[in-house]
Structure formats: structure tokens, C-alpha cells
Amino acid sequence: MVAGARTEARPLTEGDMWICEQIGPVLRDKGLLFTGIDVIGDFMTEINVTSPTGVRELERESDHRITEQLFDTVVSKLSW
């Protein structure tokens, strides 16, 4: 995207969901609240744990409010 790629919000495929079901529990067990994954075709090629991107684009192109959900989750984990 930094180099000028065009973004397009699309529904997750069954394959995408399967990948998420496989890696989600492991990422959660490691304490990761927010990660991004790169998928090409049917294959996950990368897990982005330090700088997941695309949130602004997804929020601009859809009804998903990831930022709000992320901050709500972070706040719920804080011990005041």
C-alpha cells in the first residue's frame, strides 16, 4: 500500500476462516491481541505482529470498526 497498491474490502473466504481458526488460538495463547495476516490464494504467507496494516482502508471501505473494538479490548485488559 505504501508503494501505491489499491485496496479492496472483500469478505473472508472459507479458506481464510480456516487459517484464522488454526492460528487464532496460538496467537491468543501468546498474548497477541491484534495481528494481521497476509494470504495469497489459499496460503498464509506472513503474520504481522508488530505493524498490522490495512485497518484504515478496511474501516473506510466497510462497516467494520476494528479500531474501536481493539481499544475496547485493550482497556478491558488493563488493571486500574
Side-chain angles (χ1 to χ4, degrees):
M1 290 182 287
V2 171
R6 182 181 66 82
T7 63
E8 179 180 339
R10 300 182 59 125
L12 296 176
T13 67
E14 286 184 29
D16 297 333
M17 293 299 294
W18 183 85
I19 292 169
C20 292
E21 290 166 0
Q22 303 308 304
I23 66 170
V26 175
L27 297 174
R28 247 187 319 276
D29 288 349
K30 294 188 176 295
L32 297 168
L33 297 175
F34 184 63
T35 63
I37 61 171
D38 294 349
V39 177
I40 299 174
D42 294 328
F43 300 95
M44 181 184 66
T45 59
E46 184 175 357
I47 300 175
N48 303 294
V49 298
T50 58
S51 59
T53 58
V55 172
R56 288 182 293 179
E57 292 78 9
L58 183 60
E59 288 185 340
R60 186 173 36 248
E61 298 175 20
S62 73
D63 293 330
H64 296 288
R65 296 296 163 250
I66 296 170
T67 305
E68 183 178 330
Q69 292 174 337
L70 174 61
F71 277 91
D72 287 348
T73 300
V74 169
V75 168
S76 76
K77 302 279 183 194
L78 295 174
S79 58
W80 298 95

